[in-house]
Structures are given as structure tokens and as C-alpha cells.
Amino acid sequence: MPGTIELTGQAELPACACCGIPSRRVWGNLIDDEGTTVYVVQWAPGTNGSHAVAIGMVFGPWGEGTDREDRAFAAVEGRLVEDGVQLMVIDAARSPIDAAPLAAKALRRHEIINRPLHDRVFRYVEQIRVRDARVAGLTSA
């Protein structure tokens, strides 16, 4: 069942060192039966697919009595290719998104692929892509 998307913020970031184009970052919450997952999407507008779209998600409990030690960060990279979109889970430590203030554990690719979190990560990426209008065009050809 689709979750609820809460749009919680956005920011313009300094220019990319390799191309000089400023990056954009948006974030929000995806709330469903499995709890609240914080997500962040970062990209460089106008790079026509030469730069990856970074998508990060923080999984774990939130609220009183919890802290960053209870949560983990997963990262996905999206690239526009000739016939669509290529999404790939990456080691979270490689992501340009710094989730350290929110999550103590940066998940590695092998900790997600073909494991219980795998389907949830890709299901959430699709929900974010379709339901957060700020990023809807980033991951579709």
C-alpha cells in the first residue's frame, strides 16, 4: 500500500566542482505501515544525465527514546540512459548525501541487494519519483 509523502524541505547547494553547476536537494518523509523513512534527493539541474541523481533513505525508528544509532542509511544512484532509467543501490558511504546526523550506519550495497530491504528500497524510490512533484522528471526519460 502506498505511503504518505510529506515534503519537508529543499535547498540550493554550491556549484559542483567538476562542472560548475549548482546542485539542488529536496527532502521529505515517506510514512507507511512500516514506519517513517526520511528521504533526500540531490541532483545537478541541467546536466542532461551526465551526473547521477542521488537518492538517500534513512530507515529505522524515530521519536522519543530513539537516536541515530537506531537508524541506517541506504543510497541509490539514478542515471538517465538511452532507453530509460538505470537505478542502482550503491554503498551509502559513496553518496554525496551526508546522513551521519540522522543514521549511525551507512549500509553497503551487499547489505541491501537480495535481502529483505531490497524490495522496500526500490518500492520507495518509485513512490518518491511518482509522488514528489519536485523530483518527478529526474528519473524518467
Side-chain angles (χ1 to χ4, degrees):
M1 177 169 170
T4 300
I5 297 278
E6 292 180 346
L7 311 179
T8 57
Q10 58 189 23
E12 299 297 321
L13 302 176
C16 174
C18 72
C19 68
I21 296 175
S23 293
R24 184 169 298 147
R25 179 180 287 174
V26 299
W27 57 94
N29 299 321
L30 194 154
I31 304 164
D32 66 6
D33 294 341
E34 298 186 66
T36 298
T37 299
V38 170
Y39 70 88
V40 178
V41 181
Q42 180 175 316
W43 72 100
T47 56
N48 299 323
S50 65
H51 285 55
V53 175
I55 304 165
M57 291 167 274
V58 178
F59 295 96
W62 297 89
E64 193 172 326
T66 67
D67 65 22
R68 64 185 290 281
E69 299 297 325
D70 301 316
R71 296 185 287 272
F73 175 57
V76 174
E77 187 175 89
R79 289 191 180 272
L80 291 176
V81 292
E82 190 173 305
D83 59 346
V85 177
Q86 179 184 48
L87 294 171
M88 182 173 71
V89 172
I90 63 171
D91 289 348
R94 287 186 41 221
S95 174
I97 299 167
D98 178 13
L102 302 176
K105 175 142 178 80
L107 295 170
R108 297 184 54 121
R109 177 179 162 78
H110 75 270
E111 293 175 291
I112 298 169
I113 299 298
N114 297 321
R115 296 189 181 239
L117 196 54
H118 180 260
D119 290 339
R120 189 173 169 197
V121 164
F122 283 99
R123 188 173 71 243
Y124 284 10
V125 167
E126 181 64 9
Q127 286 187 48
I128 294 162
R129 184 190 71 78
V130 170
R131 300 178 62 223
D132 185 334
R134 302 171 300 176
V135 300
L138 295 178
T139 54
S140 58

